[in-house]
């Protein structure tokens, strides 16, 4: 079994400081949270930027600031969001790709997202896939519903996504796939052999799905974007606290944790920068 890749999804576009006071929002806070997660065992950071008022932004320059601050501290894989917030325009969402990150997310379909709708028409998905291919950016395929795997496979057939495909099953978003163990198994059984996958369990789904992924040979995403609690009714103290728990469970279950260099090798990413 490959070593375990832990992704820390630090901020997201939906959670606010009023809900989670430790939410990292400024570039400085995000970089410092990223470094803490790196020291705790994360090898990828999934980043959403915020402007100076705390509102989600897809500004290339804010992402650049965050990326440079993280790079000055450690060799974490920087994975910006191209999902942004549900109200961002497609062109805005694509801005962080201009930084040529090693990796970026690619949402593979439309779904309800709480009381909103997260729009990703086939044209939009192809637009992002094309840009990522051209710039040699490894896509992480965000799957909120089973049908999104089929969308990704169609793109693969068209040559817009290369094998092996890396999926992130985002399970438990209200309005999309629930986050039961059986939902994860169904997803895992639906992807081509040789693919890699991680799971982002939303809210109370985070811990059981992470544990199951460790056992199944998948990878794990945790962080305030997905879940702000450590236990029922108890807010987590930091993103790093959530990473540290995954590391402890992995150790107990006999699964080694990957460094960023090992994660690059598992995912077939050639380090671009530095
Ligand atoms: N904030 C969600 C609407 C991604 O980062 O690529 C979309 C999202 C997916 O978080
Ligand atoms: Zn995200």
């Amino acid at each position: 079994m490959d070593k375990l890749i832990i992704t820390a999804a630090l901020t997201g576009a939906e959670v606010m400081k009023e809900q989670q006071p430790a939410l990292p929002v400024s570039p400085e806070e995000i970089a410092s949270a990223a470094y803490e997660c790196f020291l705790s065992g994360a090898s990828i950071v999934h980043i959403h930027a915020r402007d100076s008022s705390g509102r989600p932004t897809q500004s290339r320059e804010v992402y650049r600031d965050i990326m440079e601050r993280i790079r000055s501290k450690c060799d974490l894989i920087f994975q910006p969001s191209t999902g942004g917030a549900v109200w961002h325009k497609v062109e805005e969402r694509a801005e962080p790709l201009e930084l040529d990150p090693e990796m970026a997310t690619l949402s593979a379909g439309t779904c309800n997202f709480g009381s909103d709708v997260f729009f990703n028409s086939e044209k939009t998905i192809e637009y992002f896939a094309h840009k990522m291919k051209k710039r040699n950016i490894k896509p992480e395929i965000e799957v909120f519903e089973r049908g999104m795997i089929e969308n990704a496979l169609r793109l693969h057939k068209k040559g817009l996504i290369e094998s092996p495909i890396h999926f992130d099953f985002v399970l438990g978003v209200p309005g999309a796939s629930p986050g039961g163990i059986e939902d994860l198994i169904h997803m895992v059984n639906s992807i081509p052999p040789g693919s890699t996958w991680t799971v982002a369990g939303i809210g109370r789904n985070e811990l059981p799905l992470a544990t199951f992924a460790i056992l199944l040979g998948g990878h794990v995403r945790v962080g305030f974007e997905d879940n702000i609690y450590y236990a029922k009714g108890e807010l987590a103290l930091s993103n790093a606290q959530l990473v540290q728990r995954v590391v402890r469970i992995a150790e107990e279950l006999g699964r080694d944790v990957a460094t960023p260099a090992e994660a690059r090798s598992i995912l077939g990413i050639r380090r671009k920068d530095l």
Side-chain angles (χ1 to χ4, degrees), residues 34-51:
Y35 186 53
E36 256 193 273
C37 289
F38 163 75
L39 294 177
S40 302
S43 45
I44 301 177
V45 274
H46 172 63
I47 300 293
H48 285 256
R50 300 283 177 104
D51 67 17

Side-chain angles (χ1 to χ4, degrees), residues 9 11-14 46-48 79-84 105 107 113 142 144 168 170 221 225-226:
T11 306
E14 289 80 27
H46 172 63
I47 300 293
H48 285 256
Q79 181 204 78
S81 169
T82 64
T105 53
S107 292
F113 199 86
E142 307 298 297
F144 296 78
D168 176 25
V170 186
R221 179 174 113 171
E225 173 165 349
D226 304 329

